[in-house]
Structures are given as structure tokens and as C-alpha cells.
Amino acid sequence: MTNPTHFLEIDDVTRDELETILDRAAEYKRAQHEGEPHEDLEGQTLGMIFQKPSTRTRVSFETGMTQLGGHAVFLGEDDIQLGRGEPLKDTSRTLSRYVDVVMARVFKHENIEVLADYASVPIVNGLTDDAHPCQTLADLQTIREQEGGFEGVSAAWIGDGNNVAQSFTVGAAMTDIDLTVATPEGYGIDDEVVDRARELGGDPTITTDPVEAVTDADIIYTDVWISMGQEDERDVRMNDFEGFQVCSDLLEHAPEASIMHCLPAHRGEEITDDAIESDRSIVFDQAENRLHAQKALLSWLLE
């Protein structure tokens, strides 16, 4: 493959392609639940580069590739020559001679772009500091299951305007979800992300008022306030995010809303234990759908 399709941002696919991937994810989920084999990638190999640790990303990709009849190779930074200073472009070109697709979970978004620039196989963004498009695929699959589609759906993002929020904002625009993003002052999503969402036909509402955001929402979504690499900001962030916790008081303003969280959750910080354990929580459906959505993405990329 000399001109591979990469998946670095959620809008690297078109609306129609996104719909195709979500349809395939639903079919893979049905097949797995009914015990039907779906070894569509038999004999193919996924290389998985990890600079950041993970539970859901590693297990869902590795298990998914196995269920598709292929094989996954874990490549921790210190297990390969990246940890000894090999340039990313050399790693990319070398892996392209060995594997059929590469998933990378890295810090700097520019690193995933370098991998893609020098690869002759598809590169999948398993997470960067700027974006988490694979999570958005699972989020959209979960919302479609919960709401029966996207038409008329309203969602509220509460908390930090981080990588998950940024990808979800663009994904919401691609599916016509009416999104409100509520973050403390100084923690909002990037203006460039808002512009991309608007170019795609979305019109996200940006606010610093979590009550305004959740009122009458169908979906309430949150994530940790302190991501990997931000531990030294903990005291400041805990103070700045006061009032943004997804808790019973906030949920009173959206009595029918389903609750989402991409996990891992810091229970008692951005979300309370009773909220994540309530009947309104679809958090673990969302986590399961990482598996099905990523299988759909891999098979689509390797067609």
C-alpha cells in the first residue's frame, strides 16, 4: 500500500464513511454477542505503539484484532528503539515493512503526524494530547444505540476541554448532535476545533455554566480533570473545576439524561460514585463499544 488512509482525527473520514463504520461496528457487536465468527482480517498484523499506558485502548485493540482473525504486537516505547532515540520516521518506515496497520498512543499530536507522513500502511491515532478519535467512534456508537439515532439528540460536555472533548465536539458536528460544552474559564476547547465543527455544519454552544449546559440534555458526558502529565497542576485544577462535578444536584436539571464517561474515572472528583453506578449510566456500554468500533475501523481501513 503506497497511499494509505490514516485515521488521526475523527473528521479524517467523511460523514458517509463515518456512518459506514458505525454500521459495521453495530454488526460486529451483534455477531460477537451471538457467537458468530467474523475473521475478516485473517493473517493481518496490527502494530501497537504505546508512549502512554492504557487499559481500554490496549485490550480493545488487541482483543479486536484477535477476534478479526489477525494478530496484534504490543510495542512499548522502551521495548523498541524509540526508547533509545530512534527517529519516529525510521520507526514508521520500518514497521510499514512488517505490519499491515499501526495504532499509536502518544503524547504530542505532531508525533502521530510524523508516523503518518512516513508510513506506507494506515496509522490510527489511539490518543494524543490533542485528539482521541477512536473514543469518539465508540461514543457515537453508544449514543446511536441509546437514542435510536442522532436526530434531535442534545448532549452536554462538562469539565475539561481536553483531547476527548475536542474529538467529541467534531464528531457531534458530523452527526448533527446539538452540543453544549461547559468548561471553567481558561480550560475550553481550542478555537480551531470549534471552527472545524462549524465548517462541518455544527454549532456548538460554548459556556462556563454547567447548569445551562445540562438543562434538558439527552446525554451528559464528562472526563477526568487531571489527565496524564498534569499531576503537578492538581491543586489548581481541583479549585478551578469546583461546581463542574457530575453529581445528583447537577443531574436534577436533566432528569432523563444518560451519563457518559470515557474512563478511567476519578470517582468523587469529576463524577460521583452514585452517578456512575446509577441506572442512567451508559459508561460501560461506552467502554465495550471501543472494541466494536475499532474492529469496524480496522476492517474498513484494510479493505
Side-chain angles (χ1 to χ4, degrees):
M1 181 183 294
T2 55
N3 294 298
T5 298
H6 302 303
F7 187 69
L8 310 187
E9 301 269 11
I10 188 66
D11 50 339
D12 282 346
V13 297
T14 66
R15 285 179 178 239
D16 287 345
E17 289 168 340
L18 176 59
E19 196 71 26
T20 296
I21 293 167
L22 293 176
D23 286 344
R24 189 172 300 187
E27 176 58 22
Y28 278 143
K29 186 171 186 176
R30 183 205 61 77
Q32 182 184 330
H33 284 194
E34 296 181 8
E36 293 182 8
H38 43 280
E39 298 184 347
D40 296 339
L41 297 182
E42 185 175 2
Q44 301 201 57
T45 300
L46 166 68
M48 305 188 302
I49 298 174
F50 282 87
Q51 290 183 326
K52 283 187 172 185
S54 169
T55 299
R56 277 146 293 275
T57 298
R58 177 175 179 180
V59 177
S60 58
F61 268 107
E62 190 163 341
T63 300
M65 200 64 183
T66 300
Q67 291 176 356
L68 290 169
H71 178 63
V73 180
F74 175 81
L75 304 168
E77 184 176 42
D78 293 331
D79 299 321
I80 57 177
Q81 295 300 325
L82 274 180
R84 299 176 62 191
E86 180 176 58
L88 278 166
K89 61 184 180 180
D90 291 358
T91 297
S92 182
R93 287 182 288 198
T94 301
L95 288 179
S96 293
R97 305 294 182 100
Y98 298 150
V99 304
D100 300 284
V101 57
V102 173
M103 184 279 298
R105 183 176 171 95
V106 299
F107 285 93
K108 295 179 180 179
H109 193 78
E110 64 190 56
N111 287 347
I112 200 86
E113 294 175 332
V114 170
L115 286 169
D117 285 344
Y118 289 89
S120 56
V121 299
I123 301 294
V124 174
N125 180 359
L127 176 143
T128 67
D129 286 344
D130 292 347
H132 199 352
C134 288
Q135 180 64 55
T136 299
L137 287 178
D139 297 340
L140 295 175
Q141 182 183 357
T142 306
I143 292 171
R144 192 168 76 160
E145 290 173 349
Q146 180 69 20
E147 300 295 326
F150 299 117
E151 186 175 356
V153 174
S154 63
W157 175 274
I158 308 298
D160 190 18
N162 61 13
N163 48 5
V164 178
Q166 298 200 143
S167 290
F168 184 69
T169 297
V170 178
M174 294 177 71
T175 50
D176 297 321
I177 293 172
D178 181 13
L179 177 65
T180 301
V181 177
T183 68
E185 195 72 46
Y187 293 93
I189 59 177
D190 292 345
D191 290 342
E192 179 268 336
V193 172
V194 176
D195 291 342
R196 275 167 53 207
R198 289 176 175 155
E199 288 169 3
L200 289 163
D203 189 21
T205 299
I206 308 300
T207 182
T208 57
D209 184 350
V211 172
E212 174 191 346
V214 305
T215 298
D216 298 326
D218 300 305
I219 301 291
I220 296 175
Y221 193 173
T222 191
D223 190 13
V224 294
W225 295 339
I226 303 155
S227 298
M228 284 179 283
Q230 298 174 335
E231 290 80 6
D232 59 345
E233 302 173 26
R234 178 178 179 81
D235 290 344
V236 172
R237 283 176 169 263
M238 289 297 292
N239 179 70
D240 290 347
F241 282 89
E242 185 176 355
F244 283 80
Q245 184 184 70
V246 175
C247 60
S248 57
D249 287 347
L250 188 63
L251 292 170
E252 286 180 359
H253 299 278
E256 304 298 323
S258 298
I259 301 165
M260 293 175 59
H261 192 303
C262 62
L263 299 178
H266 295 168
R267 299 180 186 222
E269 293 183 11
E270 76 279 356
I271 192 168
T272 58
D273 187 77
D274 61 336
I276 207 169
E277 295 290 351
S278 72
D279 292 342
R280 298 167 61 180
S281 171
I282 53 175
V283 167
F284 295 100
D285 296 321
Q286 188 183 356
E288 178 188 344
N289 284 339
R290 289 289 303 278
L291 173 66
H292 309 301
Q294 289 162 185
K295 285 195 294 187
L297 174 67
L298 290 171
S299 68
W300 180 79
L301 287 170
L302 291 173
E303 281 182 336

Short mmCIF file of all heavy atoms in Angstrom, two decimals, residues 7 24 26 88 123 146 154 158 170 180 183 185 191 214 216 248 258 270 281 301:
data_model
loop_
_atom_site.label_atom_id
_atom_site.label_comp_id
_atom_site.label_asym_id
_atom_site.label_seq_id
_atom_site.Cartn_x
_atom_site.Cartn_y
_atom_site.Cartn_z
N PHE A 7 -6.12 7.52 10.09
CA PHE A 7 -7.21 7.97 10.96
C PHE A 7 -6.58 8.68 12.16
O PHE A 7 -6.33 8.08 13.20
CB PHE A 7 -8.07 6.79 11.41
CG PHE A 7 -9.30 7.18 12.18
CD1 PHE A 7 -10.36 7.84 11.56
CD2 PHE A 7 -9.41 6.87 13.53
CE1 PHE A 7 -11.50 8.18 12.28
CE2 PHE A 7 -10.55 7.21 14.26
CZ PHE A 7 -11.59 7.87 13.63
N ARG A 24 -20.99 -0.90 10.57
CA ARG A 24 -20.17 -2.11 10.69
C ARG A 24 -19.90 -2.44 12.16
O ARG A 24 -19.89 -3.62 12.54
CB ARG A 24 -18.86 -1.91 9.92
CG ARG A 24 -18.04 -3.18 9.80
CD ARG A 24 -16.84 -2.99 8.89
NE ARG A 24 -17.23 -2.62 7.53
CZ ARG A 24 -16.38 -2.53 6.52
NH1 ARG A 24 -15.09 -2.79 6.70
NH2 ARG A 24 -16.80 -2.17 5.32
N ALA A 26 -21.90 -1.86 14.66
CA ALA A 26 -23.12 -2.48 15.17
C ALA A 26 -23.22 -3.93 14.74
O ALA A 26 -23.65 -4.81 15.52
CB ALA A 26 -24.34 -1.69 14.70
N LEU A 88 11.19 8.89 14.86
CA LEU A 88 9.87 8.34 14.56
C LEU A 88 9.74 7.95 13.09
O LEU A 88 9.11 6.95 12.74
CB LEU A 88 8.79 9.35 14.92
CG LEU A 88 8.35 9.41 16.38
CD1 LEU A 88 7.55 10.69 16.63
CD2 LEU A 88 7.51 8.20 16.73
N ILE A 123 -2.14 4.50 9.62
CA ILE A 123 -1.81 4.86 11.01
C ILE A 123 -3.10 5.27 11.70
O ILE A 123 -3.87 6.10 11.18
CB ILE A 123 -0.80 6.01 11.06
CG1 ILE A 123 0.50 5.65 10.34
CG2 ILE A 123 -0.52 6.40 12.52
CD1 ILE A 123 1.30 4.53 10.96
N GLN A 146 -28.34 4.21 22.27
CA GLN A 146 -29.17 4.70 23.37
C GLN A 146 -30.36 5.50 22.87
O GLN A 146 -31.48 5.38 23.39
CB GLN A 146 -28.32 5.55 24.31
CG GLN A 146 -29.06 6.13 25.50
CD GLN A 146 -29.49 5.07 26.50
OE1 GLN A 146 -28.94 3.97 26.53
NE2 GLN A 146 -30.48 5.38 27.33
N SER A 154 -29.51 15.99 22.00
CA SER A 154 -28.71 17.06 22.59
C SER A 154 -27.76 16.47 23.61
O SER A 154 -28.11 15.55 24.35
CB SER A 154 -29.60 18.12 23.24
OG SER A 154 -30.33 17.56 24.32
N ILE A 158 -19.19 18.36 30.12
CA ILE A 158 -18.96 19.09 31.36
C ILE A 158 -17.54 18.83 31.86
O ILE A 158 -17.16 17.67 32.07
CB ILE A 158 -19.96 18.64 32.46
CG1 ILE A 158 -21.40 18.72 31.96
CG2 ILE A 158 -19.78 19.48 33.73
CD1 ILE A 158 -21.85 20.10 31.58
N VAL A 170 -16.13 17.62 17.38
CA VAL A 170 -16.14 17.47 15.92
C VAL A 170 -17.07 16.33 15.52
O VAL A 170 -17.85 16.44 14.56
CB VAL A 170 -14.71 17.25 15.39
CG1 VAL A 170 -14.73 17.04 13.87
CG2 VAL A 170 -13.82 18.44 15.74
N THR A 180 -23.50 21.29 23.75
CA THR A 180 -23.07 22.40 24.58
C THR A 180 -21.86 21.97 25.38
O THR A 180 -21.87 20.92 26.01
CB THR A 180 -24.18 22.86 25.53
OG1 THR A 180 -25.33 23.25 24.77
CG2 THR A 180 -23.72 24.05 26.38
N THR A 183 -17.02 24.48 30.30
CA THR A 183 -15.71 24.35 30.93
C THR A 183 -15.44 25.58 31.79
O THR A 183 -15.99 26.65 31.52
CB THR A 183 -14.59 24.22 29.90
OG1 THR A 183 -14.46 25.47 29.21
CG2 THR A 183 -14.86 23.12 28.90
N GLU A 185 -13.39 28.86 32.91
CA GLU A 185 -12.64 29.84 32.14
C GLU A 185 -11.18 29.39 32.04
O GLU A 185 -10.55 29.02 33.03
CB GLU A 185 -12.70 31.21 32.81
CG GLU A 185 -12.27 32.36 31.94
CD GLU A 185 -13.30 32.67 30.85
OE1 GLU A 185 -14.51 32.73 31.16
OE2 GLU A 185 -12.88 32.87 29.70
N ASP A 191 -10.03 27.04 19.78
CA ASP A 191 -10.84 27.76 18.79
C ASP A 191 -10.82 27.05 17.44
O ASP A 191 -11.83 27.03 16.72
CB ASP A 191 -10.33 29.19 18.62
CG ASP A 191 -10.59 30.06 19.84
OD1 ASP A 191 -11.46 29.68 20.66
OD2 ASP A 191 -9.93 31.11 19.96
N VAL A 214 -26.38 21.39 30.88
CA VAL A 214 -27.07 20.10 31.06
C VAL A 214 -28.58 20.21 30.99
O VAL A 214 -29.27 19.19 30.82
CB VAL A 214 -26.68 19.42 32.39
CG1 VAL A 214 -25.17 19.25 32.48
CG2 VAL A 214 -27.22 20.18 33.59
N ASP A 216 -32.07 19.91 30.29
CA ASP A 216 -32.85 19.18 29.27
C ASP A 216 -32.00 18.42 28.28
O ASP A 216 -32.48 18.03 27.20
CB ASP A 216 -33.80 20.14 28.52
CG ASP A 216 -34.82 20.78 29.45
OD1 ASP A 216 -35.24 20.11 30.41
OD2 ASP A 216 -35.19 21.94 29.23
N SER A 248 -25.64 14.48 41.79
CA SER A 248 -27.10 14.49 41.86
C SER A 248 -27.67 15.89 41.69
O SER A 248 -28.71 16.07 41.05
CB SER A 248 -27.57 13.88 43.18
OG SER A 248 -27.01 14.57 44.29
N SER A 258 -28.84 10.45 29.94
CA SER A 258 -27.91 9.34 30.16
C SER A 258 -26.53 9.93 30.47
O SER A 258 -26.18 11.02 30.00
CB SER A 258 -27.84 8.45 28.93
OG SER A 258 -29.09 7.86 28.66
N GLU A 270 -14.53 14.43 39.17
CA GLU A 270 -15.37 14.92 38.08
C GLU A 270 -16.76 14.28 38.06
O GLU A 270 -17.68 14.79 37.44
CB GLU A 270 -14.68 14.72 36.72
CG GLU A 270 -14.68 13.30 36.20
CD GLU A 270 -13.61 12.41 36.80
OE1 GLU A 270 -12.79 12.92 37.60
OE2 GLU A 270 -13.59 11.22 36.46
N SER A 281 -26.46 5.54 33.89
CA SER A 281 -25.11 5.46 33.37
C SER A 281 -25.02 4.47 32.21
O SER A 281 -25.51 3.34 32.31
CB SER A 281 -24.15 5.03 34.49
OG SER A 281 -22.87 4.74 33.97
N LEU A 301 -10.32 0.29 7.17
CA LEU A 301 -9.04 0.80 6.71
C LEU A 301 -8.30 -0.21 5.84
O LEU A 301 -7.56 0.16 4.91
CB LEU A 301 -8.14 1.18 7.90
CG LEU A 301 -8.50 2.44 8.66
CD1 LEU A 301 -7.68 2.53 9.93
CD2 LEU A 301 -8.28 3.69 7.81
#
